[in-house]
Amino acid sequence: MSLERAATRTSVATLAALAGLHVAWGLGSSWPLPDRESFADALAGQASPPGPGACFAVAGALGTAALLVAGRPRRTPALSRLGTAGVAGVLALRGAAGLSGRTDLLSPGSTSARFRRLDRVAYSPLCLALAAATATAVGTRGTTAQ
């Protein structure tokens, strides 16, 4: 398997898994933390957890991103390429905002010290790694079968 194909598959799987996790959170799960208060502080940087609507909206965006990176819709490869480039750009922006300590510009209220620490060491690097892997898919789209 080529590096490009592996990067694309890894991106798709990770985006889909994150979408599923956001669905679980929208349904009230606090996993991987023991309670909703810890969840809100560590994963949202707020005193109270995001509501179901916000979680489901993010899940929908991540699911759509996974489909675009997977090369869907196949009938309109230009849309797939453009969408995948957009996904890479949004992930890069999110990663850069987090590393600079300014995720609150994209998600107002995400200001707890615990969240900012986790954002710098885990969430933002994950976003940047996904952005890089996703950008790989843009370059190969239309040149190889996904």
Side-chain angles (χ1 to χ4, degrees):
M1 176 183 305
S2 71
L3 178 62
E4 293 82 6
R5 182 173 278 186
T8 299
R9 287 184 178 181
T10 300
S11 293
V12 170
T14 303
L15 290 165
L18 289 171
L21 194 52
H22 280 78
V23 168
W25 292 338
L27 294 172
S29 174
S30 64
W31 187 88
L33 298 161
D35 56 58
R36 296 291 284 171
E37 292 77 25
S38 296
F39 167 85
D41 183 43
L43 297 174
Q46 303 174 359
S48 60
C55 292
F56 295 144
V58 172
L62 289 165
T64 300
L67 290 171
L68 289 166
V69 176
R72 308 285 190 220
R74 292 217 190 274
R75 292 184 184 171
T76 53
L79 176 62
S80 175
R81 258 190 318 279
L82 180 63
T84 300
V87 169
V90 167
L91 288 167
L93 176 65
R94 168 60 184 87
L99 286 181
S100 69
R102 295 312 314 255
T103 301
D104 60 313
L105 294 175
L106 304 175
S107 179
S110 298
T111 57
S112 82
R114 182 179 183 193
F115 171 80
R116 284 186 185 231
R117 181 179 52 78
L118 289 168
D119 197 22
R120 282 198 172 122
V121 300
Y123 312 145
S124 294
L126 173 62
C127 288
L128 292 172
L130 278 171
T134 299
T136 301
V138 176
T140 62
R141 193 63 34 84
T143 60
T144 63
Q146 300 294 320

